Amino acid sequence: MKNIRNFCIIAHIDHGKSTLADRLLEYTGTVAGKQMQAQVLDDMDIERERGITIKSHAIQMSYELNGEKYILNLIDTPGHVDFSYEVSRAIAACEGALLVVDAAQGIQAQTISNLYLAVEHGLEIIPILNKIDLESANPEVVKDQIVDLVGCDREGIIPASAKSGIGIYDILEAIINRVPAPKGNPEAPFKALIFDSVFNQFRGIIAYYRVMDGEIRSGDHVKFVNTGKEYNADEIGVLKLLKAPQKIVKTGDVGYIISGIKEAKEVKVGDTITHVDRPCEQAIKGFEDVKPMVWAGIYPVDTDEYEELRKSIEKLQLNDASLVFQPEASAALGFGFRCGFLGLLHMEIIQERLEREFNMTVITTVPNVNYTAYLTNGEVKEIHNPSELPEPNYIARIEEPYIKAQIITKSEFIGAIMTLCIGKRGNIIGQHYLTTDRVELQFDMPLAEIVFDFYDKLKSISKGYASFDYHPLLYRESELVKLDIRLNSEPVDALSALVHRSHAQEFGRKMCEKLKELMTRQQFEIIIQASIGSKIIARETVKALRKDVTAKCYGGDISRKRKLLEKQKEGKKRMRQVGNVEIPQEAFLAVLKLD
């Protein structure tokens, strides 16, 4: 056990985490020359194209130092804030962390939040200054930032370049010398933490775990504590680039277990595995169900593809247990599903994977968040969708989720960023200068306000420099109203939204103007209205296409023309009663781009 080292890499997006993992695999000889490619551990097309890690991976390396052989388990983590629960479980399975900071960009928001997670779990931090061979690198300034943040010696920071291989041997040596060996009792009952799971279409769900105490043998009868389910360990082993089956996995090791599980719901990240006949006394702390933050409706473009869409989402859920869905129906869009996502990036990725992997073209409705409505009769109701909201006279109060946002930016953009956040109902709660020209701002703001276009606006006003990270806080009471969009006085449920009373008028007006642009003109007049309850707050009219009925009357009495126009007017009125308004698909996405 003394020769095992478990570690993870934490960094902001694009600071070189996956490239550093590639170099470590190459220098320890884990991946042979033929198999070597960029982002070895990222096996999805989307991950390669976008250069982000979506699904974390674990891999075992062997390395020899001073004549002794060591086993290094790298538990790779996604960097994006949407996957922070996965990151926290991966960190709980490690004893050390490599903190990778880009020498050109310096410390950014996700670096800090993931670092705090690692420090809370008592991990040994090894700071690495990456990309020092770039012309724009500013190593001395960034070293000062790291010393301020971590409180380490300047000599303890390892200068490196993952791309060209500078400093990789120093990093391997530091992992062995600085990261402590796993603590655990090999004689105690078996106890392991699940930090990830993947789906294999031939073997079912494969769970990845880190053994805290005891050992597991092939064929053992095991129990997953939080779900209460029991299984036989058909195959266990360690994770090389491909799975390597073993007879036994011991304390401190990282391994996998295959037991023919078919349901994604039965394996939860953060759960504890133990033996049925000799269970551990208490489960590993920190387990929680992953809570979706953002909800959106996903509907097939062609209503006949409903069953196909259900199968596709179920298969996706096997690969991604944090996706939650339930069937729902909409008057405008037919049958579809209400899906819960961890955040906007997660939603975008699911949508893209549905299109790529299953050839499903889908309409996604406006994303919104979960609200809690307290009714006058004492009932408490969870609201996923604005159409579920009861009438205003039955509601005592509505609460919405708040977040703590952390923005790191250059000092020249502070004014513009504060204006943006205050416009989104944010309250500034802290401002801290990291260096003379880099500031960390902290805001409390409603989650619903950042769901739309907040991140895009933040990037554009800060010329791409600001980095953003958030943590959920509790629910707070808000003055929210349900805004309905009506076409010819029929409400369109897929376009209704819950908005703050102060923004309702402006939001309603913009929606009506946008819809007027997008609607194709019909033979009859289309009236677009925004309403709160029965009160109309904005209105636009799409004029009817008209034939020139008076063309044949040249000269003559005005009453002849009037008669023809009145006849046409009557016809248009009748037409409007039976006419059906087609809503173009862009209208559902237009809400996201109102500005």
Side-chain angles (χ1 to χ4, degrees), residues 273-294:
I273 311 177
T274 187
H275 279 136
V276 172
D277 45 5
R278 190 179 167 221
C280 56
E281 285 173 19
Q282 64 190 102
I284 296 157
K285 288 190 186 70
F287 171 74
E288 52 183 270
D289 280 328
V290 179
K291 293 181 190 70
M293 302 287 281
V294 173

Side-chain angles (χ1 to χ4, degrees), residues 515-564:
L515 281 170
K516 184 183 176 181
E517 281 170 39
L518 293 168
M519 299 300 274
T520 43
R521 285 174 71 185
Q522 306 279 357
Q523 291 285 339
F524 51 90
E525 195 177 64
I526 302 172
I527 295 169
I528 304 167
Q529 295 168 315
S531 68
I532 297 171
S534 56
K535 184 183 173 192
I536 306 293
I537 56 168
R539 167 183 167 141
E540 291 288 336
T541 310
V542 179
K543 289 277 179 252
L545 292 167
R546 315 185 79 120
K547 185 176 159 191
D548 188 358
V549 287
T550 59
K552 60 183 180 191
C553 303
Y554 36 92
D557 188 12
I558 185 73
S559 59
R560 286 176 64 203
K561 288 184 181 174
R562 180 72 30 85
K563 188 175 151 194
L564 291 168

Side-chain angles (χ1 to χ4, degrees), residues 405-473:
Q406 180 185 32
I407 298 168
I408 294 179
T409 177
K410 287 195 160 184
S411 47
E412 64 196 86
F413 305 120
I414 291 182
I417 287 174
M418 281 192 173
T419 311
L420 172 70
C421 292
I422 289 163
K424 297 274 186 190
R425 298 193 282 140
N427 293 326
I428 184 157
I429 50 172
Q431 178 175 342
H432 169 59
Y433 276 82
L434 300 169
T435 62
T436 46
D437 73 331
R438 284 175 75 78
V439 192
E440 180 190 349
L441 301 168
Q442 289 184 335
F443 289 90
D444 271 5
M445 57 202 299
L447 178 63
E449 294 287 346
I450 68 158
V451 162
F452 285 153
D453 51 359
F454 177 76
Y455 193 60
D456 294 346
K457 283 187 179 166
L458 179 70
K459 282 290 181 198
S460 58
I461 60 177
S462 67
K463 302 198 170 102
Y465 277 111
S467 60
F468 169 68
D469 193 40
Y470 65 85
H471 296 284
L473 298 171

Side-chain angles (χ1 to χ4, degrees), residues 319-371:
N319 270 317
D320 183 349
S322 45
L323 169 67
V324 182
F325 72 95
Q326 62 208 41
E328 73 162 3
S330 144
L333 297 170
F335 290 106
F337 296 95
R338 187 109 202 120
C339 300
F341 308 97
L342 300 177
L344 279 186
L345 176 80
H346 188 211
M347 172 176 143
E348 217 175 295
I349 284 160
I350 294 291
Q351 204 177 333
E352 204 159 314
R353 285 181 71 183
L354 275 174
E355 281 179 15
R356 284 185 183 202
E357 295 170 28
F358 304 100
N359 292 328
M360 294 297 309
T361 15
V362 292
I363 297 176
T364 312
T365 63
V366 184
N368 56 23
V369 298
N370 249 359
Y371 298 93

Side-chain angles (χ1 to χ4, degrees), residues 447-505:
L447 178 63
E449 294 287 346
I450 68 158
V451 162
F452 285 153
D453 51 359
F454 177 76
Y455 193 60
D456 294 346
K457 283 187 179 166
L458 179 70
K459 282 290 181 198
S460 58
I461 60 177
S462 67
K463 302 198 170 102
Y465 277 111
S467 60
F468 169 68
D469 193 40
Y470 65 85
H471 296 284
L473 298 171
L474 297 170
Y475 278 62
R476 296 185 190 168
E477 189 177 338
S478 276
E479 204 180 339
L480 297 168
V481 289
K482 180 185 167 197
L483 183 86
D484 283 318
I485 300 294
R486 297 168 181 270
L487 296 180
N488 288 347
S489 61
E490 284 294 317
V492 181
D493 57 352
L495 289 173
S496 55
L498 275 176
V499 289
H500 195 263
R501 194 179 283 279
S502 60
H503 293 352
Q505 181 109 29

Side-chain angles (χ1 to χ4, degrees), residues 251-279:
T251 310
D253 252 331
V254 172
Y256 69 90
I257 176 170
I258 299 176
S259 45
I261 305 169
K262 294 285 186 290
E263 292 274 324
K265 295 190 275 290
E266 292 178 23
V267 179
K268 294 193 169 169
V269 172
D271 203 346
T272 308
I273 311 177
T274 187
H275 279 136
V276 172
D277 45 5
R278 190 179 167 221

